[in-house]
Amino acid sequence: MRAASLFTEASGLPLPAAAARFADAGVPVFPCVPDGKRPLTGHGFHDASTDPAQVSAWWRRWPGANIAVPTGAPSGLVVVDVDVHGPVDGRESFRRARDAGLVEGWELLVRTPTGGMHAYYPATPGAAQRSWQAGRAGVDFRGDGGYIIVPPSTRPIGGATTGYRIVQAAPEPGRELDAGKLRDFLDPRPPIRPRPFGGQRVGREDAERLARWLDRQDTDRNLKLFWASCRLAEGGVPLADALDAVLTAAKSDFGPREITATVRSAYRAVHPDPSRRATASATQGALPAGAGWFDRRPGPARPAVPGRGL
């Protein structure tokens, strides 16, 4: 069954029945607090299951629990999350990306309780696309390592309970999304000049520039630190220089131990081969007519709503 048909069917069911329907269709689910986004299981999306007995047990225990689905390979779905919070209006960013041909092929549009939108796409088989956030653009990507809250879940907004609501389902199967191109379009990377490897310390100015940029970003702190560290590794900046620069720029957000662990993890991700890792450490340191939500121009800024809706 296509995602659009499954989600449309499940959206009209009570929460326990909807969770069971997803699991029966092979889409793993896990419970989050009623009207909220915090997982009720000990390991969050890692606990997601399609086992009917497990899913039934969860929703017997928490019949009002919201339904969460891990994105990426586990579910076969990735989601572009368009935020509309206070001064941040991701609709304009999404429109620009649409005009550039980067977000076509969605299969489902879901209106979030906070006034934003989720656009669902099929995951790319055999190719992991990690979750990321472009806070200033008001657009996030939920891929491998992320999850979303799905209909018929609800959130309390302005004193009223508001549901996640399907507003449009595409008549044809969705097309895969290039999340990397979308990220680069919405959140261009500061240029880092590749430098030759060697014994001398090179690239410190690049590390400092990116670290200063990192400190100005209003987005998820762990994602932004890992992303920036990967860019430094890709640019040939020595690990020692990257650590020094990021420790200085990001100290208001992170502890030294967390910074060091995240930067080293990023360098290992960029240089996974053991021999290269050793060298790196030593020397490198069109929406259809009628989809109108995206076509409304941003109005006056609304007061910020507590919490970010997924």
Side-chain angles (χ1 to χ4, degrees), residues 241-263:
D241 285 347
L243 283 169
D244 289 346
V246 177
L247 280 166
T248 299
K251 63 184 178 182
S252 61
D253 266 353
F254 307 86
R257 183 175 300 177
E258 183 179 12
I259 291 174
T260 300
T262 302
V263 174

Side-chain angles (χ1 to χ4, degrees), residues 2-3 76-80 98 100-108 119-125 129 141 170-179 286-288:
R2 287 178 55 225
L77 296 169
V78 297
V79 173
V80 174
R98 178 193 63 188
L102 298 176
V103 291
E104 297 174 347
W106 53 265
E107 185 164 334
L108 197 68
Y120 289 59
Y121 301 81
T124 303
Q129 295 194 97
F141 174 73
E172 302 294 334
R175 299 196 303 273
E176 296 164 8
L177 177 80
D178 190 328
L287 293 178

